[in-house]
Amino acid sequence: MKLLAYLSLVLFSAPIFAQNTSGTITYEEKFNIHKRMTGERAKYKDFVPEFRITKGMLVFDENSARYADKEVITGIEEEVVTEENSMRAMMKSMAPKNEFFMDFKKDKFIEFREFLGREFLVQGDKVEQAKWKIVPEQKEIKGFIAQKAELTNEEGQLVEAWFTPQIPVSIGPATYNKLPGLILEVNINDGDLVISALEINMNEVNKDYLIAPKKGKKVTPDEFQAIVKEKMEEMRESGQGGGMHFRTRSN
C-alpha cells in the first residue's frame, strides 16, 4: 500500500507527458576507472584519470528506440583533442561504441557489440522483462519526480535505477528498461558506472537517428555469451583477464 501511495503521488503531483511518444535524452556515462585498479594496478592511479566520462543518447518514437554514444548517433564530435586533455581523450576513445536498438512492435532487439577488436550484431526475438523491485524512495532529477528501483545483475552487483512515471515510456539508457516510466539515472555497483540524464527533450525526433545497427557478425545472445566466456577464460589462463565483465543485457 505504501508503494502504491508513492506512485500515486508521482502520477498526480505533476504533469504526465502521455501525449509525447518521441524524444531525445542525453546522458552522461561516468565510469570509475580507479575502482577497477586493485592490487598491483593500484600504484598507477596517479597517472590515470579517476573517471572515463562519455555522453550517450537515447532516441525513441512510438515504434522503436536506439541508445548509443552521442557522437555515433549525431555524427558530431563534441570534444577537441588538445595536449591538456589528451589523456582523457585517449580514455574516451577506449570506450566501446556499443549500440542497443529496440523494435517495440515486434518486441525484438538488435545490439552492436565490440569485443577484443571484433564486431558483433547480437539479435534477440524478445526484450526480456527485468526483475526490478520498486522501492519507496524518491528524488528530483531535472525537474521530474523520480522513483527508485533495484535489481541484482548476473554478476551479483546491485543496480539502482531512478525512473519517472511523468514520462510513461518503459525505456532507459543502454539496456536498462521495462520500468513504468523513463529511466533518468542508473548506478551500477555503488558507482562503478553512473549514467545520468543531462538533457531531456520530448519532441519529434530526427528519423535518421533511429536506424538499427547493421554491421558486425550476426549472432544470438547465447552465441555471443559463449564467445565472450571462451575468450575470457583464455585471457584468465594467460594472466590477462583483469576482472572484466561483458554482458548482452542488463536484466
Side-chain angles (χ1 to χ4, degrees):
M1 292 297 293
K2 288 184 179 180
L3 180 57
L4 181 60
Y6 273 93
L7 288 175
S8 297
L9 177 62
V10 173
L11 291 172
F12 293 106
S13 61
I16 295 178
F17 297 87
Q19 71 274 18
N20 292 313
T21 57
S22 63
T24 302
I25 318 297
T26 300
Y27 294 86
E28 176 187 79
E29 298 186 359
K30 194 172 184 180
F31 179 80
N32 193 317
I33 300 171
H34 284 193
K35 285 191 70 176
R36 294 296 183 96
M37 299 178 71
T38 58
E40 283 295 312
R41 293 181 295 174
K43 61 185 178 183
Y44 299 110
K45 286 184 178 180
D46 290 341
F47 306 98
V48 178
E50 183 176 1
F51 299 102
R52 184 185 70 209
I53 299 175
T54 58
K55 286 184 179 179
M57 178 176 279
L58 174 67
V59 185
F60 64 94
D61 64 12
E62 66 277 9
N63 298 314
S64 58
R66 179 188 180 194
Y67 185 83
D69 186 278
K70 186 176 181 180
E71 292 180 3
V72 170
I73 291 180
T74 64
I76 301 173
E77 186 172 350
E78 295 187 334
E79 184 176 356
V80 178
V81 178
T82 66
E83 184 177 351
E84 289 75 18
N85 67 9
S86 59
M87 174 60 75
R88 293 191 179 276
M90 182 189 72
M91 299 305 297
K92 177 182 175 182
S93 68
M94 293 172 62
K97 304 301 181 184
N98 299 331
E99 296 185 47
F100 188 72
F101 182 90
M102 287 190 293
D103 186 321
F104 297 144
K105 291 189 175 181
K106 296 180 180 178
D107 198 18
K108 293 185 177 182
F109 71 89
I110 302 174
E111 194 171 2
F112 170 74
R113 298 298 304 265
E114 292 182 343
F115 177 61
L116 298 180
R118 300 174 63 187
E119 297 180 343
F120 296 90
L121 200 62
V122 185
Q123 302 182 71
D125 290 333
K126 186 175 178 63
V127 179
E128 294 182 4
Q129 180 68 47
K131 296 179 175 61
W132 292 108
K133 176 184 178 182
I134 299 176
V135 297
E137 187 174 340
Q138 297 176 337
K139 67 178 180 179
E140 183 177 316
I141 301 176
K142 296 296 179 181
F144 294 90
I145 298 174
Q147 186 79 35
K148 188 178 182 180
E150 300 176 340
L151 63 76
T152 302
N153 65 20
E154 292 177 2
E155 283 77 39
Q157 301 170 327
L158 177 64
V159 178
E160 299 177 344
W162 295 87
F163 69 95
T164 177
Q166 292 173 247
I167 305 178
V169 291
S170 298
I171 54 177
T175 57
Y176 297 98
N177 49 59
K178 299 293 186 178
L179 278 168
L182 176 71
I183 298 175
L184 299 176
E185 183 178 306
V186 177
N187 186 326
I188 304 169
N189 200 35
D190 192 26
D192 275 7
L193 174 64
V194 179
I195 307 175
S196 307
L198 294 177
E199 300 175 12
I200 302 171
N201 296 305
M202 298 300 298
N203 47 35
E204 188 173 350
V205 301
N206 185 336
K207 296 298 183 181
D208 292 338
Y209 292 171
L210 273 173
I211 299 174
K214 296 179 180 179
K215 63 178 180 178
K217 179 182 178 181
K218 295 181 180 180
V219 294
T220 66
D222 289 341
E223 289 171 339
F224 180 70
Q225 287 295 90
I227 292 170
V228 170
K229 182 178 179 181
E230 179 183 357
K231 294 300 180 183
M232 294 305 295
E233 288 177 352
E234 291 177 1
M235 293 175 67
R236 277 192 287 269
E237 290 174 0
S238 62
Q240 302 175 13
M244 299 192 312
H245 297 281
F246 295 85
R247 296 170 44 76
T248 55
R249 294 189 294 279
S250 306
N251 43 351

